[in-house]
């Protein structure tokens, strides 16, 4: 079973930043935090991952709490194309990803 | 790259028939995963191969399901006999770096 907790849904307006929270209170010291998203009628796609430090890439930023019990995926300027289900996953290296229910993000114009 | 290739994209079959889903992972990737997605159960891991060897098949529902990976460039998921409750979207994914899997477009299976 998934070990992370995410809100079922969130709403945003286009061009505004979005902060998607995730709780992983039982995370171990060697587990990575991965974020994937699934656009309608598509397979999941990798967004970003991190271990302890905050991470940035062209898609998003990942802010990891100092105690690692929570993280936040940041979309700096939401677009309509960012409407998707976002999954936060704890993952031990070498094991398969286990998906929870994720957060359904709606973006309005 | 062409990404993960799955075939067929859609499959409609009658209960009791054998169904074979196919996957071609991204060249060079050494891990392959099969997932199933339904509205009720979400995205479930069925099986995970590493270097063509099954590592974790605890998600395979029952003996009706079997998966093989005869070489690094091909995998199959077979359901025999199929049942209506097997209707779902089946995704294949592959990875080189653990945790950064690339997913295929999925096969939508309907069993009537």
């Amino acid at each position: 079973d998934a070990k992370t907790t995410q809100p079922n849904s969130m709403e945003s307006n286009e061009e505004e930043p979005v902060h998607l929270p995730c709780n992983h209170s039982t995370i171990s010291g060697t587990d990575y935090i991965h974020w994937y998203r699934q656009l309608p009628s598509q397979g999941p796609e990798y967004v970003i991952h991190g271990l302890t430090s905050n991470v940035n890439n062209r898609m998003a930023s990942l802010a990891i709490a100092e105690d690692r019990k929570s993280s936040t995926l940041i979309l700096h300027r939401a677009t309509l194309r960012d409407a998707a289900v976002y999954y936060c996953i704890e993952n031990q290296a070498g094991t398969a990803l286990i998906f929870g229910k994720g957060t359904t993000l709606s973006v309005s114009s | 790259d062409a990404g993960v290739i799955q075939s067929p994209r859609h499959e409609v079959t009658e209960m009791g028939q054998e169904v074979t889903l196919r996957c071609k992972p991204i060249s060079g990737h050494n891990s392959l995963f099969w997932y199933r997605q339904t509205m009720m159960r979400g995205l479930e891991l069925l099986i995970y191969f590493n270097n063509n060897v099954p590592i974790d098949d605890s998600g395979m529902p029952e003996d009706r399901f079997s998966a093989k990976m005869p070489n690094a460039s091909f995998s199959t998921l077979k359901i025999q006999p199929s049942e209506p409750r097997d209707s779902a979207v089946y995704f294949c994914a592959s990875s080189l770096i653990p945790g950064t899997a690339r997913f295929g477009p999925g096969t939508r299976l309907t069993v009537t």
Side-chain angles (χ1 to χ4, degrees):
Chain A
D1 290 346
K3 295 175 282 186
T4 61
T5 303
Q6 300 178 252
N8 289 333
S9 62
M10 291 186 64
E11 296 180 355
S12 176
N13 294 317
E14 211 175 3
E15 305 295 316
E16 291 184 357
V18 181
H19 291 234
L20 295 162
C22 179
N23 288 323
H24 26 81
S25 56
T26 60
I27 193 168
S28 75
T30 55
D31 284 354
Y32 285 81
I33 300 155
H34 294 263
W35 284 82
Y36 279 71
R37 72 179 186 181
Q38 187 172 19
L39 302 172
S41 301
Q42 294 189 26
E45 66 173 339
Y46 168 81
V47 177
I48 200 167
H49 79 283
L51 183 62
T52 56
S53 302
N54 295 343
V55 185
N56 300 295
N57 67 21
R58 64 175 180 81
M59 290 181 70
S61 295
L62 175 60
I64 301 172
E66 193 170 335
D67 64 5
R68 298 207 335 121
K69 295 186 182 302
S70 66
S71 63
T72 302
L73 179 70
I74 303 166
L75 307 179
H76 295 286
R77 290 179 61 193
T79 70
L80 296 178
R81 194 190 173 280
D82 292 321
V85 179
Y86 286 79
Y87 299 97
C88 168
I89 305 166
E90 291 176 30
N91 178 253
Q92 184 177 38
T95 64
L97 298 166
I98 303 300
F99 289 78
K101 297 186 184 303
T103 296
T104 299
L105 175 66
S106 303
V107 181
S108 302
S109 58
Chain B
D1 60 56
V4 175
I5 299 173
Q6 293 187 245
S7 65
R9 293 293 309 277
H10 301 272
E11 176 82 31
V12 180
T13 190
E14 292 184 347
M15 182 174 60
Q17 298 297 306
E18 177 179 296
V19 175
T20 299
L21 311 181
R22 296 172 175 80
C23 175
K24 177 178 172 55
I26 292 171
S27 178
H29 283 188
N30 60 3
S31 295
L32 183 139
F33 313 85
W34 282 100
Y35 289 85
R36 175 174 69 175
Q37 187 170 36
T38 62
M39 288 294 292
M40 288 293 293
R41 299 176 66 88
L43 198 58
E44 302 174 280
L45 174 70
L46 298 177
I47 189 167
Y48 157 38
F49 291 89
N50 185 256
N51 292 323
N52 312 337
V53 176
I55 302 299
D56 181 1
D57 66 353
S58 59
M60 294 288 267
E62 50 201 86
D63 292 345
R64 297 186 298 108
F65 284 68
S66 62
K68 294 182 180 180
M69 192 164 186
N71 57 62
S73 59
F74 185 66
S75 176
T76 59
L77 178 67
K78 185 176 295 186
I79 308 172
Q80 167 63 18
S82 58
E83 296 182 2
R85 60 187 168 133
D86 302 329
S87 298
V89 180
Y90 290 81
F91 290 104
C92 176
S94 69
S95 73
L96 177 59
I97 301 172
T100 58
R102 292 267 302 273
F103 281 74
T107 295
R108 182 174 295 277
L109 173 65
T110 302
V111 183
T112 61

Coordinates of all heavy atoms in Angstrom, one line a residue, chain B residues 8 12 38 59 67 101:
Chain B
P8 N -1.6 -4.7 -28.1 CA -2.4 -3.7 -28.9 C -2.7 -2.5 -28.0 O -2.5 -2.6 -26.8 CB -3.6 -4.5 -29.3 CG -3.9 -5.4 -28.1 CD -2.5 -5.9 -27.7
V12 N -10.6 -6.0 -27.2 CA -12.0 -6.4 -26.7 C -12.1 -7.9 -26.9 O -11.8 -8.4 -28.0 CB -13.1 -5.7 -27.5 CG1 -14.4 -6.1 -26.9 CG2 -12.9 -4.2 -27.3
T38 N -7.6 0.7 -12.7 CA -9.0 0.8 -12.8 C -9.5 1.9 -11.9 O -8.8 2.4 -11.1 CB -9.7 -0.5 -12.3 OG1 -9.3 -0.7 -10.9 CG2 -9.2 -1.7 -13.1
G59 N 2.0 -8.8 -6.9 CA 0.8 -8.1 -7.3 C 0.0 -8.8 -8.4 O -1.1 -8.4 -8.7
A67 N 3.4 -13.5 -16.6 CA 4.2 -12.5 -17.3 C 5.6 -13.1 -17.6 O 6.1 -13.9 -16.8 CB 4.4 -11.2 -16.5
A101 N 10.8 5.8 -13.9 CA 10.3 4.9 -14.9 C 9.6 5.7 -16.0 O 9.0 6.8 -15.8 CB 9.2 4.0 -14.3

